[in-house]
Amino acid sequence: MAKFYGIGTGPGDSSLVTVKAVNTLKNLDILYTPESKKGGESLALSIVDEYLPESLEIKSRHFPMNFNGTEKIQVWNSISGEIVEDVKKGKNVGFVTLGDPMIYSTYVYVMERLMDDIEVETIPGISSFSNIASNQNFPLVMDTDPLIVIPCTMEEDKIDEALEKYDCLVLMKVYKKINMVIDKLKKHDLIDHAILVSNSSQDKEEVFTNLRDEHIDEKISYFSTILVNKNRNKR
Amino acid sequence: MAKFYGIGTGPGDSSLVTVKAVNTLKNLDILYTPESKKGGESLALSIVDEYLPESLEIKSRHFPMNFNGTEKIQVWNSISGEIVEDVKKGKNVGFVTLGDPMIYSTYVYVMERLMDDIEVETIPGISSFSNIASNQNFPLVMDTDPLIVIPCTMEEDKIDEALEKYDCLVLMKVYKKINMVIDKLKKHDLIDHAILVSNSSQDKEEVFTNLRDEHIDEKISYFSTILVNKNRNKR
């Protein structure tokens, strides 16, 4: 029976796709790809490009990244409607999404709109923070410590609270918030236990391991993440 | 130059290994595999078995799972010493570890003991919680919410604090703690937003989606995880 597959592509390097994702892509009839700009390139598509069958039909769809709730909802409704129609015609349909589909991915909004109508299989992907940690040989969390993942778009007092309470943290979406975040890391005595990586596993990767002294440009990449582990090297 | 590779195998299904891990395994001379019981099977080895070259030398090593610190440290020292020797002889040496190498993995203790002496490359893997979330089409976290991953071996008051404060949680190592955890999920009004999965992506997978009413055996598997998302389906 025809099915819908949500496929995590991992963070950027084509070899960080799973074998399951590769096998699934090879058997698709149609692939939906998200574009953040109209007519722009899809990063998720470029990651899986080498695994796609020749016969595949690619349907690029624009996902608005602004905060206009009504426009977003219309887009999600329209794309999920198209996908349901394709699957009901007997086509195996895929949707590629950066990183892991269940961690801060727009894929979820599409999935939730179609899962009552058609069969859905989601294939996990390597998250950006997991990739950064491995690339830097930087243990995220061990033993009985908790790990907290924070989008820096969260309220500032909640960020403070987490930095106060926890030793192992992933700070995502630091873009535009970098000065605030660096100040808070200093305040909570975490700055010497932190690293910042931009564009992990893509071209132009930048790694900052000394956040206290290095100059971090305010215009760092949209894809920038900070890892903190206060208990690293205490073993 | 010869190198040491720490390789995340993902949660259990051989197809959830990355293409990079497969390519790396094919070029190894020696593979170290962790056994939790002396002479027992290595789950990590069984996951990657189909990708191993015929010429590969496999060195199974026993990792004690008890709380005897001295014994553990002796084992980590001894195994990392062996690995350094092999790499210095010009061998490409791998070490396989379940899930992701940087999230609660003993691999880190070996890595930290040898990274000053030889070149280390760590390859990320799909974590068990990421796999469970995708398998169940269960969004872990969206938008400006934080995600907290908690080992239930943590102090009880800290578990309470996290359940009180956060909406999106992963509860790991619930084995032996299941009654305590279920009680706390009820107390914090999270029980109807939680699912429990045992042995994800392995034989005998069990999924419990109604933790309020279903009977959960106290003898659940060692590999059991609870996902909580209080904001799921609110969009």
Side-chain angles (χ1 to χ4, degrees), chain A residues 100 109 122 130 137 145 235, chain B residues 100 104 109 122 130 137 235:
Chain A
D100 185 85
Y109 298 117
T122 307
S130 160
N137 295 322
D145 271 328
R235 293 169 289 270
Chain B
D100 184 85
Y104 302 115
Y109 298 116
T122 307
S130 161
N137 295 322
R235 291 169 289 270

Side-chain angles (χ1 to χ4, degrees), chain A residues 56-210:
Chain A
L56 185 73
E57 183 182 354
I58 293 178
K59 298 190 175 181
S60 302
R61 293 295 178 267
H62 172 60
F63 280 72
M65 295 296 278
N66 58 37
F67 292 97
N68 181 336
T70 321
E71 189 192 347
K72 280 186 177 175
I73 288 171
Q74 279 170 352
V75 167
W76 299 332
N77 286 342
S78 140
I79 294 172
S80 55
E82 282 187 274
I83 292 171
V84 168
E85 219 172 284
D86 285 338
V87 172
K88 286 195 170 167
K89 279 181 194 153
K91 304 289 185 189
N92 282 313
V93 177
F95 182 104
V96 278
T97 183
L98 271 181
D100 185 85
M102 293 297 144
I103 300 177
Y104 302 116
S105 168
T106 307
Y107 162 72
V108 165
Y109 298 117
V110 173
M111 177 193 84
E112 287 182 338
R113 281 172 169 74
L114 49 69
M115 59 197 291
D116 291 338
D117 295 319
I118 53 176
E119 199 182 342
V120 173
E121 181 171 344
T122 307
I123 297 168
I126 301 288
S127 63
S128 62
F129 62 83
S130 160
N131 181 51
I132 292 171
S134 276
N135 279 355
Q136 302 302 318
N137 295 322
F138 187 104
L140 281 172
V141 64
M142 297 296 289
D143 301 321
T144 58
D145 271 328
L147 171 69
I148 185 160
V149 182
I150 295 170
C152 292
T153 44
M154 188 167 84
E155 293 98 312
E156 278 202 33
D157 59 328
K158 289 191 181 171
I159 298 178
D160 263 312
E161 205 171 45
L163 292 174
E164 173 74 34
K165 209 167 289 286
Y166 298 108
D167 293 336
C168 302
L169 306 100
V170 174
L171 305 173
M172 301 184 74
K173 306 181 192 173
V174 295
Y175 173 66
K176 284 189 180 169
K177 306 278 181 176
I178 186 67
N179 290 336
M180 178 270 279
V181 172
I182 298 271
D183 285 348
K184 287 195 192 306
L185 288 171
K186 284 179 180 161
K187 175 177 151 196
H188 294 286
D189 198 24
L190 294 169
I191 192 82
D192 298 323
H193 308 281
I195 61 168
L196 181 154
V197 179
S198 295
N199 299 322
S200 173
S201 126
Q202 298 169 34
D203 291 346
K204 302 183 193 165
E205 181 178 87
E206 284 189 289
V207 181
F208 302 91
T209 54
N210 180 352

Side-chain angles (χ1 to χ4, degrees), chain B residues 146-185:
Chain B
L147 171 70
I148 185 161
V149 182
I150 296 170
C152 293
T153 45
M154 189 167 83
E155 293 98 310
E156 277 201 34
D157 59 328
K158 289 189 180 172
I159 298 178
D160 264 312
E161 206 171 44
L163 292 175
E164 173 72 35
K165 206 165 292 282
Y166 298 108
D167 293 335
C168 302
L169 306 100
V170 174
L171 304 173
M172 300 184 75
K173 306 181 192 175
V174 295
Y175 172 67
K176 283 189 180 168
K177 305 278 180 176
I178 187 65
N179 290 337
M180 178 269 280
V181 173
I182 297 270
D183 285 348
K184 287 195 192 305
L185 288 172

Side-chain angles (χ1 to χ4, degrees), chain B residues 63-77:
Chain B
F63 280 71
M65 296 294 279
N66 58 37
F67 293 96
N68 182 336
T70 322
E71 189 192 347
K72 279 186 180 178
I73 287 170
Q74 279 171 354
V75 167
W76 298 333
N77 286 341

